[in-house]
Amino acid sequence: MTLNKKLRVAVLASGGGTNLQSIIDQSQEGILDAEICLVLSNNQDAGALKRAQQAGIETLCIDHRDFKTREQFDQTVVAALKKAGTELVVLAGFMRIISEIFLQAFPQKIINIHPALLPAFPGLHVQQKAIEYGAKFSGCTVHFVDAGVDTGPIIAQAIVPIFNDDNEEILAARILEQEHKIYPQAIQWIAEKRVKIEGRCVHIEDSKNVTAAFINPPIR
Ligand code: GRF
């Protein structure tokens, strides 16, 4: 489906920005009906800022260390997002916790991607934690942001196997490949207004049911 009006998306990133790149690429390919109105970072060295500049997207760096409180930082970020006409806030490796001020400014309009199958392994260094735990699968989760850390309603998940000889880097790369598929897709569903939140459950209107189940290691 191609929409007449593109969803105005702001992407917040602190790091390399491969998820941002997947959103840029799919927007340019016309698969994603989103216009990235701003890429904002708290880190002036973020690769995400360079990727945005290369794509001709407006960028802004607001360093959290210039503010006394999280709320003051968030107020400045919110003002910049509003000024850019943001309709959806997309966190893509944004290494700051979102305060109540930020949440209230964009109710149910902030999403995040997390490199684990929530509610397992919230927080940081979760690829390593999944390996050390001995989990046979991990994956990634796109979710709405609420007041908790990685606790908001889940929009979509992808799973990947964990192998015996995996290390953090290999597993992170395997998960990232899936992140680059499900994050733009989740944004597209929101652009198409197909995402309904009921309590903690999210339904995508007219989505198909997945038919496969996975076992690792495989039986027989
Ligand atoms: C990804 O693993 C994402 O799940 C997490 O931060 C990382 C960002 O990677 N929230 P990138 O900057 O998009 O490459």
Side-chain angles (χ1 to χ4, degrees), residues 11-20 39-51 60-65 70 73 77 90-98 102 112-113 124 183:
V11 179
L12 274 56
S14 305
T18 65
N19 276 288
L20 166 67
V39 170
L40 190 150
S41 185
N42 62 318
N43 169 18
Q44 63 172 3
D45 298 324
L49 289 174
K50 292 191 194 76
R51 289 177 191 271
L60 183 63
C61 181
I62 303 176
D63 192 331
H64 59 281
R65 293 169 299 187
R70 189 183 300 283
F73 170 70
V77 170
V90 172
L91 307 182
F94 187 58
M95 303 303 284
R96 306 300 304 159
I97 290 172
I98 301 298
F102 198 156
N112 182 44
I113 188 149
L124 297 174
Y183 215 8

Side-chain angles (χ1 to χ4, degrees), residues 72-188:
Q72 284 168 352
F73 170 70
D74 276 5
Q75 251 157 7
T76 308
V77 170
V78 164
L81 295 175
K82 293 279 183 194
K83 193 174 162 217
T86 305
E87 295 174 305
L88 179 71
V89 180
V90 172
L91 307 182
F94 187 58
M95 303 303 284
R96 306 300 304 159
I97 290 172
I98 301 298
S99 72
E100 202 54 43
I101 285 173
F102 198 156
L103 287 170
Q104 279 172 18
F106 290 96
Q108 298 188 332
K109 297 284 179 226
I110 309 174
I111 60 173
N112 182 44
I113 188 149
H114 181 75
L117 285 179
L118 293 172
F121 306 114
L124 297 174
H125 308 296
V126 293
Q127 298 93 340
Q128 184 63 28
K129 284 177 188 161
I131 291 170
E132 283 170 9
Y133 193 88
K136 299 299 184 199
F137 288 100
S138 189
C140 47
T141 304
V142 179
H143 64 93
F144 284 103
V145 175
D146 67 6
V149 175
D150 303 322
T151 52
I154 293 171
I155 302 169
Q157 293 183 306
I159 73 170
V160 303
I162 300 178
F163 301 125
N164 285 341
D165 52 358
D166 275 350
N167 60 34
E168 184 177 10
E169 199 184 337
I170 288 173
L171 179 58
R174 192 177 302 133
I175 293 171
L176 264 181
E177 207 180 314
Q178 302 307 315
E179 294 184 30
H180 301 160
K181 294 178 188 167
I182 68 169
Y183 215 8
Q185 173 65 82
I187 297 167
Q188 178 63 15

